[in-house]
Amino acid sequence: MSHAIRFDQTGGPDVLQWVPLEVPPPGPGEVSLTHTAVGLNYIDTYHRSGLYPVPMPSGLGCEAAGVITALGDGVDGFSVGDRVAYASGPLGAYAEARTLPASVLVRLPDAISDEVAAAVMLQGLTAQYLLRQTYPVEAGETILVHAAAGGVGLLMCQWAKHLGVTVIGTVGSPEKAALAKANGCDHTILYRQDSFLDAVKDITGGEGVPVVYDAVGKDTFMDSLACLQPMGTMVSFGNASGAVPPIDIGILAKMGSLFLTRPTLFSYIADRERLDAMAADLFNVIAKGAVKVQINQRYPLVDAAQAHRDLEARNTTGSTVLVVS
């Protein structure tokens, strides 16, 4: 009997339970996997807490790597024994094994380990669409990345630096500032003690930046808008400090004809061809060393609740994986 993390009510990390779970055989278009590593992401806490409602009871987790153990009818392009990873599909990645649609899987090249794949699929594909699609950065630009020492932030700093972009990043401590700088962040701002708006204006000579990438949400939203150049783009892609309250969109006009978007990874990877292209782009920059995945925390899958406590307390840096024994 396989085991998985499940929850039957929303709340804090204590609602997560380690339970036996039967894995059904794959149906048409599906595969069965044995997981080797599972990615921990902030969106997991949104599902667990109820910020992003899900039907109860529920599994948890969007991202994992593993080995295919069985194929359903009509599955092409995969074989039993293939190493694969995914960053979407029904919730339930916090499991020793599962069955899910083959359409969400990508095959892993030899240069990408299972732990790296589990750590980077969701965060790395997020960095890819943010930097290469939502607002395609260009060499010579200066950008603002909030939570620059987080999992997505560290990947974005490295990737943007590789593309010739100057990165300003907000961080919560001197230790996180050092980590962000070691990963390509040119200017770090300790947001708890300094105004990031004042710092950005100072760094840019009063001009501001063409784009802000903001995964923090409520606490940074308005000052992030004020950091933008006229016709700049505000990319709000997370709510670590809470959801952004409703706003009068007229403020976008008053602040310089600004653009505002709230993208999600799942919109970008819904198309199979786009998913394959994004994954190839991500694996390429990792394989050639332009982007290094920092797995700074590992927890046994059974200890997922403690991993959530540490993540929400901002006691983690880089990426975290839940290891399947």
Side-chain angles (χ1 to χ4, degrees):
M1 178 70 71
S2 182
H3 287 76
I5 295 289
R6 304 278 294 180
F7 62 114
D8 54 21
Q9 61 180 346
T10 58
D14 290 343
V15 303
L16 300 181
Q17 305 171 36
W18 180 247
V19 299
L21 195 67
E22 184 174 349
V23 179
E30 294 182 331
V31 302
S32 292
L33 302 177
T34 295
H35 284 155
T36 52
V38 177
L40 176 73
N41 295 283
Y42 219 97
I43 194 173
D44 302 345
T45 71
Y46 298 163
H47 292 140
R48 187 212 70 225
S49 69
L51 179 62
Y52 290 179
V54 297
M56 292 286 127
S58 179
L60 192 62
C62 307
E63 167 186 57
V67 178
I68 294 178
T69 56
L71 303 175
D73 292 340
V75 174
D76 295 320
F78 294 103
S79 302
V80 171
D82 282 350
R83 296 172 55 244
V84 294
Y86 62 91
S88 68
L91 294 184
Y94 287 24
E96 293 176 318
R98 72 180 304 196
T99 296
L100 77 171
S103 60
V104 304
L105 299 176
V106 295
R107 185 180 287 104
L108 294 179
D110 292 341
I112 307 297
S113 73
D114 288 14
E115 283 198 1
V116 165
V120 82
M121 279 293 290
L122 194 148
Q123 294 177 344
L125 292 175
T126 296
Q128 197 281 341
Y129 85 73
L130 291 172
L131 292 171
R132 308 300 285 152
Q133 299 183 72
T134 303
Y135 179 92
V137 298
E138 297 182 1
E141 290 184 319
T142 298
I143 67 174
L144 175 61
V145 176
H146 285 300
V152 174
L154 290 177
L155 296 174
M156 292 184 68
C157 288
Q158 294 178 74
W159 205 330
K161 191 68 173 178
H162 172 65
L163 295 170
V165 174
T166 297
V167 182
I168 304 171
T170 63
V171 294
S173 69
E175 293 77 17
K176 290 189 175 183
L179 180 63
K181 284 187 175 181
N183 284 272
C185 189
D186 298 277
H187 306 277
T188 55
I189 303 166
L190 297 173
Y191 71 89
R192 290 191 175 109
Q193 64 186 53
D194 299 318
S195 163
F196 71 82
L197 173 57
D198 290 344
V200 167
K201 292 295 188 179
D202 182 61
I203 293 166
T204 62
E207 292 186 2
V209 293
V211 62
V212 175
Y213 296 103
D214 188 356
V216 176
K218 175 174 65 67
D219 290 353
T220 52
F221 184 80
M222 292 306 300
D223 278 353
S224 292
L225 291 180
C227 286
L228 288 167
Q229 300 170 357
M231 292 173 287
T233 300
M234 174 66 179
V235 183
S236 177
F237 68 101
N239 306 300
S241 67
V244 176
I247 65 166
D248 176 359
I249 63 170
I251 197 171
L252 302 176
K254 294 177 182 177
M255 299 182 78
S257 298
L258 303 180
F259 294 87
L260 169 63
T261 183
R262 180 58 173 90
T264 68
L265 171 63
F266 307 112
S267 297
Y268 282 84
I269 63 175
D271 176 77
R272 176 81 234 185
E273 184 175 345
R274 186 191 292 265
L275 169 60
D276 286 338
M278 291 170 64
D281 192 18
L282 172 63
F283 294 155
N284 178 57
V285 292
I286 294 173
K288 65 185 182 183
V291 172
K292 296 178 173 62
V293 181
Q294 308 284 335
I295 303 175
N296 293 338
Q297 298 82 211
R298 291 174 174 82
Y299 300 80
L301 177 60
V302 68
D303 293 335
Q306 185 58 50
H308 275 226
R309 293 185 191 99
D310 291 344
L311 180 65
E312 291 181 299
R314 302 191 182 183
N315 290 331
T316 65
T317 58
S319 298
T320 300
V321 294
L322 305 173
V323 180
V324 183
S325 58

